[in-house]
Amino acid sequence: MLNKLALSGIKHRLRDYSVLFSGLMIASAIFYMFMSLATNKAFLSSNSPASATSFIFAFGIVLLAIITIVYINYANTFLLSMRQKEYGMFMMLGAKSSKISKMIFVETFAIGAISTIIGTLIGIVATSFVSRWLISMLDMQVKHFSSFYLPALIWTFVFFIVIFIFSALRNSISLRRTKVLTLLNRDSQPVKIKRNGVLKAIQAVLGLILLAIGYFTMYFSGNNPGAIYIGIPVALVTIVGGSYFTINAFVTSLIVMLKKNTKFSQKGLNNFTLSQLSFRINDYTKILSMVSIMFALALGAITVGLGFNNQIDNVVNGQNYYDVQLTNPNKAQNKRVKSLNVKEKVTYNYKTDGKNVYYRASEFKKQPIGYSKIDINTMKSSLKKSSDLANNTNAKYELMNTRLPQTRAMEAKFVSNQDYDAINSPVTTTVLVKTNSFKDNLSEIKAISKAENKRYPILKKAGGDKLAAYTIINGFFSGLEFMGFFLGIAFLAMLASCLMFKILSGANSDVKRYNMLYKIGTKPKTLRASINKEIAVLFSVPAILGIIHVLIGLQLFVKILYQPYMHIEIPFAIFIVLYLGYYFLTRYLYKKIVLK
């Protein structure tokens, strides 16, 4: 009977529980998405050249578990607060506290189990969609990855089942220890905000010290890769702690200062908004700290993923100057070349006597050959040209790779037109094309290379052209690139949904406040403006701190990424636009609840 009553309670209050269900489903979906990478050793070993990847993912699991536990704790509190008055009524009517406790246990565990199952299914579908989209969009080569990974599924179920069992037990014990009158009148009880100036000052100093230690650790570990095994755990602990104390101390102090400024606080509903924020910040310190860390992880992962994408372009451009090379092109190949966005096109002819390869020296004076160089220390590539191939080994090597494989080992000689004409051998024509962008023309380049390999099968295994270099290098870096973009998208969904659902979970308690303001004559426009400011602050605090974490945290990758800060504005802009989308959605849903 109690089980039916608990389950019917969920059914009848499904609309009220929609926020709770949505948040828990997203939490379990993101947990599965992360575990599908973190627990797949074959994927990590085959797609990452860094030996520390498994170690980093292990700490990622710990961090995500802590974040998830904190979020479920908020969700659990929200669940209990919604039913506590109803439980108090049951107890007043004579129901035993042990029976009510059992009903709470069943209801809490049922909500957790249902949301975990649905969320995990969503995670599998989302993993499949996101992985396919990334692989196709970024032309990645990812090995040993599957959207359905049984160990990840098992870990997700075990983790959430254990957490919800503890949550259910906690709710049961909490209810049995709470008096009936307290349950019935908890919504009417004021929330006391404790303010201790000395404690806030200590927290502010401690927060700055911990952040400084964390930032220095990341900088030191990035420039000394051997220290990463110690640096990552130290940075994780200090930055998490520093974020918590910084938000708890500095933001609340700033709000107090603004409230003392009568010119600002007495204007419109600013005093009410500041009071709301003062209450929110104290109540939300943990989740805002957590969101700032997730913001840094999400934005950092996407930025690093883009960095590996830039690394691919840079290294590939350092291998070959020309994007396409053709030998004796036919009409079909010439037609395909016309589909390219050609920036530069040169033609060279050569003859061979079986020992040497002969070129006209005059051709290179008219058309200097381009060649590429890459600095191994800085991983910076540069493009140059030369007409003196006899003395330029780099240009000579570039030219060698443009010939058919059977002639590459032969020595190249650059002779006069008269000597060249005297050689009684067939002429081989080489056409070299450089496009305005290798990646933008990649599909056409692949089609040309495929046709060229069909005409000359020996080229399939010989390589030497830019596409062959791209295939190897892309295979090397794309696994890391995939991890960065995949985890960035996952953490973005997690952080924004956690903050959104936390704000919405407290919306019901704010209805009375806004209703009272409306009754005393406050215009709806003014109320909406107050809500906009309040939610904007709650979203901007973790965003600002998270951006600072990212800007300094990129120092971890200075030794493995070419210019890790290059084009940083792109991921920042994309991320902020998506983050603003969550802000506007939260604002809309919150207004819909409190401004009835």
Side-chain angles (χ1 to χ4, degrees):
M1 182 64 184
L2 284 173
N3 293 343
K4 289 183 178 180
L5 188 61
L7 295 175
S8 65
I10 297 174
K11 183 179 178 180
H12 291 303
R13 299 178 69 93
L14 194 59
R15 184 178 178 183
D16 295 331
Y17 286 162
S18 58
V19 171
L20 177 65
F21 270 118
S22 302
L24 293 175
M25 284 189 291
I26 288 178
S28 55
I30 300 305
F31 192 87
Y32 172 82
M33 291 175 73
F34 185 87
M35 294 301 287
S36 67
L37 296 184
T39 59
N40 193 335
K41 293 182 179 179
F43 167 79
L44 294 178
S45 60
S46 61
N47 290 280
S48 172
S51 59
T53 303
S54 298
F55 175 78
I56 294 170
F57 266 88
F59 271 94
I61 293 172
V62 174
L63 181 61
L64 183 62
I66 293 171
I67 290 169
T68 306
I69 289 170
V70 171
Y71 177 66
I72 291 176
N73 178 53
Y74 280 114
N76 186 51
T77 304
F78 171 62
L79 171 64
L80 189 61
S81 65
M82 290 191 71
R83 295 296 303 275
Q84 60 188 5
K85 193 170 184 178
E86 190 174 335
Y87 296 146
M89 290 287 290
F90 288 151
M91 293 174 73
M92 277 192 66
L93 294 172
K96 295 182 179 179
S97 59
S98 59
K99 299 293 184 181
I100 300 297
S101 297
K102 184 179 178 181
M103 187 172 71
I104 293 173
F105 183 93
V106 172
E107 185 173 350
T108 304
F109 185 78
I111 289 173
I114 293 168
S115 59
T116 300
I117 293 170
I118 298 173
T120 305
L121 293 174
I122 293 172
I124 294 171
V125 174
T127 300
S128 176
F129 172 77
V130 172
S131 60
R132 289 180 183 177
W133 175 67
L134 286 174
I135 291 170
S136 62
M137 184 184 72
L138 300 173
D139 193 42
M140 294 176 175
Q141 296 179 16
V142 180
K143 302 174 183 176
H144 304 295
F145 178 77
S146 174
S147 58
F148 178 78
Y149 189 61
L150 186 59
L153 186 67
I154 294 171
W155 273 107
T156 303
F157 279 140
V158 169
F159 177 79
F160 278 89
I161 287 171
V162 170
I163 293 299
F164 280 112
I165 287 174
F166 277 106
S167 297
L169 288 171
R170 180 186 171 189
N171 283 354
S172 300
I173 294 170
S174 175
L175 184 81
R176 294 184 71 172
R177 291 181 177 178
T178 306
K179 296 178 180 179
V180 176
L181 288 176
T182 304
L183 290 172
L184 293 171
N185 300 308
R186 181 161 288 180
D187 288 341
S188 304
Q189 293 176 352
V191 178
K192 294 182 180 180
I193 300 175
K194 296 180 181 180
R195 291 191 176 93
N196 188 323
V198 177
L199 181 61
K200 293 292 182 184
I202 294 172
Q203 286 182 347
V205 174
L206 184 59
L208 291 175
I209 292 173
L210 288 173
L211 287 177
I213 293 171
Y215 292 156
F216 175 78
T217 302
M218 288 193 293
Y219 172 81
F220 183 80
S221 299
N223 289 276
N224 300 274
I228 194 169
Y229 292 100
I230 299 175
I232 292 291
V234 172
L236 178 65
V237 173
T238 54
I239 291 177
V240 170
S243 299
Y244 176 82
F245 290 127
T246 300
I247 291 174
N248 196 39
F250 276 99
V251 178
T252 50
S253 300
L254 182 62
I255 292 170
V256 171
M257 289 173 60
L258 289 173
K259 289 185 76 174
K260 289 181 179 180
N261 186 341
T262 54
K263 289 183 179 180
F264 177 81
S265 61
Q266 298 304 318
K267 186 177 180 182
L269 285 180
N270 284 348
N271 193 43
F272 172 77
T273 305
L274 290 171
S275 298
Q276 282 280 92
L277 284 171
S278 180
F279 168 74
R280 294 291 186 215
I281 294 296
N282 281 279
D283 185 42
Y284 286 16
T285 301
K286 290 179 183 178
I287 200 164
L288 289 175
S289 305
M290 180 180 76
V291 169
S292 72
I293 298 299
M294 285 195 292
F295 191 100
L297 289 172
L299 181 53
I302 292 175
T303 305
V304 171
L306 185 65
F308 282 115
N309 188 274
N310 295 331
Q311 188 88 322
I312 293 171
D313 293 343
N314 180 65
V315 176
V316 169
N317 288 329
Q319 305 302 311
N320 300 78
Y321 182 92
Y322 297 100
D323 300 335
V324 174
Q325 53 191 55
L326 302 168
T327 303
N328 297 324
N330 54 24
K331 289 182 179 180
Q333 287 292 69
N334 285 326
K335 187 177 179 180
R336 292 186 181 99
V337 169
K338 289 180 181 179
S339 66
L340 299 171
N341 294 317
V342 179
K343 182 179 180 181
E344 184 181 340
K345 182 180 177 183
V346 296
T347 302
Y348 301 114
N349 298 297
Y350 68 87
K351 295 179 181 180
T352 178
D353 58 5
K355 294 181 180 179
N356 300 309
V357 175
Y358 300 93
Y359 289 93
R360 294 178 188 269
S362 59
E363 286 187 344
F364 293 95
K365 290 181 180 179
K366 293 179 181 178
Q367 305 173 108
I369 189 169
Y371 65 95
S372 58
K373 289 182 66 178
I374 187 165
D375 189 330
I376 299 175
N377 295 321
T378 62
M379 296 303 291
K380 185 178 181 180
S381 62
S382 58
L383 303 177
K384 297 181 179 181
K385 286 188 175 184
S386 175
S387 58
D388 183 18
L389 276 77
N391 300 310
N392 192 319
T393 55
N394 289 311
K396 207 170 183 179
Y397 180 79
E398 182 93 22
L399 183 64
M400 178 195 74
N401 280 326
T402 65
R403 298 195 295 267
L404 291 174
Q406 60 267 31
T407 61
R408 290 178 186 174
M410 298 179 186
E411 185 179 352
K413 293 185 178 294
F414 306 93
V415 298
S416 64
N417 291 344
Q418 186 178 356
D419 291 340
Y420 182 84
D421 292 336
I423 300 170
N424 187 20
S425 297
V427 177
T428 302
T429 301
T430 301
V431 177
L432 306 176
V433 179
K434 183 170 182 60
T435 64
N436 60 351
S437 171
F438 177 79
K439 274 205 166 181
D440 291 346
N441 294 272
L442 186 57
S443 59
E444 291 84 1
I445 292 171
K446 285 183 176 180
I448 292 170
S449 179
K450 185 178 179 181
E452 197 72 357
N453 290 341
K454 192 174 181 180
R455 294 173 63 222
Y456 301 99
I458 195 172
L459 289 173
K460 291 181 180 180
K461 295 182 179 180
D465 63 346
K466 197 167 190 174
L467 183 61
Y470 169 79
T471 302
I472 295 170
I473 294 164
N474 188 48
F476 184 77
F477 284 110
S478 58
L480 293 170
E481 185 186 358
F482 175 81
M483 292 180 204
F485 280 102
F486 186 89
L487 294 177
I489 293 170
F491 276 119
L492 171 61
M494 181 74 171
L495 77 92
S497 63
C498 282
L499 185 54
M500 181 173 71
F501 292 127
K502 175 58 181 173
I503 293 172
L504 294 179
S505 67
N508 286 318
S509 62
D510 290 338
V511 173
K512 292 180 181 179
R513 299 186 184 96
Y514 284 98
N515 192 31
M516 179 182 66
L517 288 171
Y518 179 73
K519 286 180 178 179
I520 63 176
T522 307
K523 295 180 180 180
K525 183 180 179 181
T526 307
L527 293 175
R528 287 194 293 269
S530 175
I531 292 171
N532 294 345
K533 292 176 185 177
E534 180 184 341
I535 297 177
V537 171
L538 293 176
F539 268 80
S540 60
V541 167
I544 292 169
L545 194 56
I547 288 173
I548 296 171
H549 292 341
V550 173
L551 292 175
I552 299 174
L554 286 175
Q555 288 294 316
L556 274 171
F557 302 92
V558 292
K559 290 293 185 181
I560 59 176
L561 280 180
Y562 166 67
Q563 296 183 352
Y565 294 93
M566 185 173 68
H567 302 312
I568 196 173
E569 69 280 359
I570 297 174
F572 272 57
I574 294 171
F575 199 89
I576 289 172
V577 168
L578 294 173
Y579 192 69
L580 284 173
Y582 273 101
Y583 161 70
F584 287 116
L585 178 61
T586 305
R587 204 174 74 172
Y588 169 76
L589 294 174
Y590 186 86
K591 289 177 186 177
K592 199 171 181 181
I593 295 172
V594 300
L595 301 179
K596 295 183 179 179

